Amino acid sequence: MASRTLHVTVPDDSWLSALDDLDDVELSVWDMDGDQPGEHVDLAVRPYTVAAGGLDALDPDRLDVVQSQALGYDGVADVLPDGITYCNAVGVHEESTAELAVALLLASQREIDRYAREVGQWNRGFTASLIDRRVMLLGTGGIGREIEKRLDGFGAELVRVASRARTDDRGEIHGQDELPTLLPTVDAVLLAVPLSDSTEGLVDDDFLAALPDGAIVVNVSRGKVVDTDAVVRQAGRVRLAADVTDPEPLPSEHPLWTTQGVLVSPHVGGMSTAMRPRIEAVVRRQIALLQDGQPPADVVVG
């Protein structure tokens, strides 16, 4: 089957040169804020954002497919007009986010953030480590699997938990219903779950109270998985290292910034040098599928 010419919009000029070798593709720059260019757009590459805002203004009579540069799609189904297909960025952010999750865990355990604040001071002391620690991985999807790979070799005992109990080629995966029994036995919890009715507010006062003193929760999933107020209330007993927060962005005056034992990064899990070549590969694949008359890959809404 001969390929057909597609009208593809990209969020900025840098994409024009990145895709200029493609045949039968008409490229336009559109940041999806303002009038849509042309009569019809087959594929619109969305600017990198994790928010769902602005999608409700899109015209389903003139736009077929939106390709997100993010993995998450919270709230998209509530605002995306019927008739438009929305695809997320599978395979783009999982490895970088996993890398940051382990970095946050290590930095907190070894108190790198404290050393960074104490510039000019030589305050030595023993810190926690991952060696001989029992670490819970809560979430075994794409990011969770990449975290698991990166934890290999650190000398920690890994406890895996998912929505339901099962086994795979690496052994036992506990069900989420086992958390009350498991939490008192672990030193760290890595959160890599999607936001859903069953995970929103999952890390609440009861969850934190079940952890032993000094335990740490690392959140690279979604901010609303953790009850921020509960973390503040239990400051000094349990710790938090988070790349995502609720609210987000975290206001400069929010007490979480100064809460004892809390380390925050500003939702940068996927923002590494690995992102751009991976999202370009995703866009190229979508264009090839659409030119061949195939449905797009990784459809999450529509």
Side-chain angles (χ1 to χ4, degrees):
M1 178 186 295
S3 64
R4 64 184 181 92
T5 299
L6 299 183
H7 185 192
V8 177
T9 65
V10 291
D12 58 66
D13 289 342
S14 69
W15 280 87
L16 297 178
S17 58
L19 302 177
D20 66 357
D21 62 315
L22 294 176
D23 295 327
D24 300 319
V25 175
E26 176 190 349
L27 295 172
S28 301
V29 174
W30 181 38
D31 63 4
M32 303 185 72
D33 181 17
D35 293 337
Q36 174 182 317
E39 291 298 318
H40 187 268
V41 171
D42 297 282
L43 175 68
V45 181
R46 197 176 184 211
Y48 181 50
T49 177
V50 296
L55 295 174
D56 56 340
L58 300 178
D59 184 353
D61 293 326
R62 300 178 59 214
L63 173 62
D64 291 341
V65 181
V66 174
Q67 175 62 58
S68 172
Q69 296 190 58
L71 187 60
Y73 50 96
D74 308 339
V76 169
D78 298 328
V79 297
L80 189 73
D82 291 341
I84 297 177
T85 299
Y86 193 91
C87 306
N88 67 338
V90 174
V92 174
H93 301 288
E94 291 90 337
E95 291 180 84
S96 290
T97 302
E99 182 178 70
L100 182 63
V102 176
L104 287 170
L105 177 57
L106 283 169
S108 295
Q109 289 292 86
R110 299 309 301 264
E111 301 183 25
I112 303 300
D113 55 328
R114 175 174 67 82
Y115 295 142
R117 291 191 300 269
E118 296 177 350
V119 175
Q121 302 179 50
W122 196 256
N123 294 330
R124 300 176 67 210
F126 285 91
T127 65
S129 71
L130 285 183
I131 303 166
D132 298 334
R133 300 296 89 187
R134 188 169 158 91
V135 177
M136 175 185 290
L137 175 59
L138 183 45
T140 58
I143 294 174
R145 289 191 296 271
E146 295 299 333
I147 291 174
E148 184 177 355
K149 292 177 186 177
R150 282 153 183 80
L151 285 175
D152 280 348
F154 278 107
E157 178 187 356
L158 188 63
V159 179
R160 298 181 299 162
V161 179
S163 57
R164 59 178 178 81
R166 57 186 183 273
T167 59
D168 63 9
D169 57 352
R170 299 200 63 168
E172 182 177 17
I173 299 175
H174 298 272
Q176 194 170 304
D177 59 333
E178 299 176 66
L179 283 175
T181 302
L182 293 172
L183 288 172
T185 72
V186 300
D187 303 288
V189 178
L190 287 160
L191 300 172
V193 294
L195 182 63
S196 65
D197 290 342
S198 64
T199 61
E200 183 171 353
L202 175 65
V203 182
D204 56 10
D205 280 297
D206 290 339
F207 186 108
L208 296 172
L211 291 168
D213 291 351
I216 182 169
V217 175
V218 178
N219 188 12
V220 294
S221 53
R222 283 292 180 264
K224 289 183 180 294
V225 173
V226 174
D227 182 340
T228 305
D229 293 337
V231 173
V232 174
R233 283 192 292 268
Q234 301 212 27
R237 199 190 71 78
V238 293
R239 297 170 293 140
L240 173 72
D243 186 48
V244 289
T245 60
D246 180 32
E248 189 174 303
L250 194 64
S252 59
E253 70 279 3
H254 196 282
L256 196 65
W257 287 116
T258 54
T259 297
Q260 180 182 352
V262 172
L263 175 61
V264 175
S265 58
H267 204 151
V268 293
M271 297 178 69
S272 78
T273 52
M275 177 182 167
R276 183 58 183 256
R278 283 166 171 73
I279 189 60
E280 286 183 10
V282 167
V283 171
R284 286 173 175 272
R285 179 181 62 167
Q286 298 289 41
I287 290 172
L289 288 171
L290 294 175
Q291 286 181 325
D292 288 343
Q294 302 295 319
D298 304 320
V299 173
V300 289
V301 180

